[in-house]
Amino acid sequence: MDGPMPALAFTADGALLRVVGHDGAFQDLPADPAKAVPAVCERAGRPLTQQEWREHVGADLNYQQVCTP
C-alpha cells in the first residue's frame, strides 16, 4: 500500500480517538462504546453484518444488532 499509514491517538481526557486516515482526512471518534455505536451506525447507513461485526468489533463479543434498519 502506498502512502502514509493512518495515525491514531487518544485525546488527553480519553474521550475521543483522533484518526488521520490514508487520505489525510482527520476524524474524532468517540471512545465510549455507548457513544461510538450511533456513530458507527451512521457511517454504515445500515445494520452491520455478522462479518463486519467480527472484523471491526471482534469475535470475543457476540454479534448484536445495534443499528436500526
Side-chain angles (χ1 to χ4, degrees):
M1 174 176 283
D2 294 332
M5 294 296 293
L8 305 171
F10 285 99
T11 55
D13 64 3
L16 298 171
L17 176 62
R18 293 211 160 137
V19 180
V20 179
H22 292 288
D23 60 357
F26 174 85
Q27 294 181 1
D28 276 339
L29 304 172
D32 178 353
K35 293 179 182 174
V37 167
V40 169
C41 294
E42 183 178 332
R43 287 186 62 185
R46 58 175 171 67
L48 300 178
T49 66
Q50 289 187 17
Q51 178 64 33
E52 289 169 328
W53 180 274
R54 283 191 297 276
E55 289 175 14
H56 302 290
V57 178
D60 294 342
L61 295 175
N62 290 332
Y63 174 76
Q64 298 176 39
Q65 189 63 269
V66 294
C67 305
T68 55

